[in-house]
Amino acid sequence: MTGEPVRSLRASIIAVGSELLTSTRIDTNSLTITETLDALGIEVRDKMVVGDRRADLAAQFRSALERSDLVIVTGGLGPTDDDLTREAVSDALGLPMDEDPSILDTIRRRFTSRGLRMPEVNRRQAQVPRGATVLANPNGSAPGLWIEHRTKAIALLPGPPREMRPMLQQLVSDQLSRRAGDVRLRRRVLKIAGRTESRVEELTQPTYSRWLSQTQPIETTILATPGQIELHLSTRGADVEAAERALDQAVGELEAILGTDLFSTDGRSLEEVVGDLLKRRVWRIAVAESCTGGLATSRLTDVPGSSAYVERSIVAYSNDAKTALLGVAEELIRERGAVSEPVAAAMAAGISKRASTEVGLAITGIAGPGGGTPEKPVGTVCIAVDGPVAVVRTFRFLGGREMVKSFAAFTAIDMVRRTLLDAPTDVDWIKKG
Ligand code: AMP
Ligand code: MG
């Protein structure tokens, strides 16, 4: 089957509840829904959070329905006066409300089974826009509703996540997968180290922009975290093999452009990649950290099974500790400063010698906000790897204390990777001048 580009369904999500507009409650339902729709190849076009106001909700709902094939609303299905989703949707669709005797019966039985009488307010939950299909709620009193209106589909789901989730799953097995057809979303995540977001963009954009207009179009988004840039590639289609082939081809093109700066195309984190490189050689690493306070080791040990290759780590924060625990000469620190390439190199050599490991890693720097000088401003960090070869580099990271620490820990682990691969270490954060 060759690909007529398949248009996937478009969805809007509306989270209803004034509490979701405060700083104390957060809309998590839309994340669950997005994950579910992604898996079905349904594109989430937009999402909104709307307070408990009937007119606002009706207006937002109407506009979502104009743009999207599917509108999923969560919340506002309870029995109280501030639960207005049913009413707002029936206003917007111009559908009258009928009382559904079977819903009323189910709610009444929920109460009597617990020895309670159903409060009269719960009667509102039996009001259903005409023509709607009732979605059972085994975990609460509010039933969900499924409405097919002209070419559009609408799902009204309860707000509490533990009630919403099972109902959504049921909807996936029934109405949703039927609507979504065979279209599925396939994606790849590429992880890049040592380059700024703008540099990655500059290098790759001319290539990935072409993919939008090919037979199997691929969408690319670029994301940055301290040290790491991610390229997310995704494509939709009924022909899963064609989708996978197009993604393989795209990943291959990016591999050629990015070289060893690209460290992962299979979901592995940087520390997993480095762990695998060490395991393959049956090598171990020991770490000496100053300004990162153990953060690099914490990351390395986030990987299950890292005890196979992480031998030890020392946080040598003071000059005395660098001398006593790592054997860095006092005069060297006095003459060159604790944040200097010779001290970083001595720390790495010291730890690997004492631990008898094949690889030593050391980090010393100025995380700020104090302690900077014109020659060594805040964010100056020296990183040394003592391994098959000895490498030491000085970097300049920008941002506050936490950012500098994160960048330094990530970049240090990446230096180990580059050293093990015999790859260039001239990354974008190298301090110039
Ligand atoms: P409701 O169905 O509007 O009565 O919502 C009941 C409760 O569900 C609220 O008090 C929230 O705690 C929770 N809730 C509602 N909407 C959401 C949402 N979008 N994400 C997470 N929790 C929600
Ligand atoms: Mg509510």
Side-chain angles (χ1 to χ4, degrees), residues 15 19-20 25-29 74-77 83 159-161:
E19 76 278 10
L20 303 172
R25 277 296 175 95
I26 154 162
D27 156 39
T28 58
N29 284 347
T74 77
L77 292 180
D83 294 305

Side-chain angles (χ1 to χ4, degrees), residues 86-162:
R86 274 179 297 267
E87 287 79 357
V89 167
S90 80
D91 291 347
L93 298 176
L95 293 174
M97 298 268 257
D98 301 319
E99 186 175 88
D100 183 317
S102 71
I103 298 180
L104 196 57
D105 194 45
T106 309
I107 298 174
R108 209 173 252 135
R109 272 192 278 117
R110 256 185 87 79
F111 280 96
T112 47
S113 70
R114 288 180 292 171
L116 301 169
R117 190 187 58 80
M118 184 189 87
E120 223 18 55
V121 291
N122 283 82
R123 228 187 157 100
R124 287 189 56 221
Q125 294 181 296
Q127 291 288 320
V128 170
R130 193 167 293 167
T133 305
V134 176
L135 308 170
N137 183 354
N139 302 303
S141 66
L145 295 169
W146 172 262
I147 302 168
E148 300 196 350
H149 185 74
R150 307 205 174 101
T151 60
K152 312 277 172 138
I154 298 133
L156 310 184
L157 304 178
R162 57 176 286 276

Side-chain angles (χ1 to χ4, degrees), residues 16-19 52 75-78 82-83:
V16 183
S18 295
E19 76 278 10
D52 296 304
L77 292 180
D82 64 356
D83 294 305

Side-chain angles (χ1 to χ4, degrees), residues 30-42 168-169 172 176:
S30 67
L31 304 180
T32 313
I33 296 168
T34 302
E35 192 183 2
T36 304
L37 297 183
D38 267 353
L40 288 171
I42 299 174
L168 181 66
Q169 282 323 311
V172 169
L176 272 185

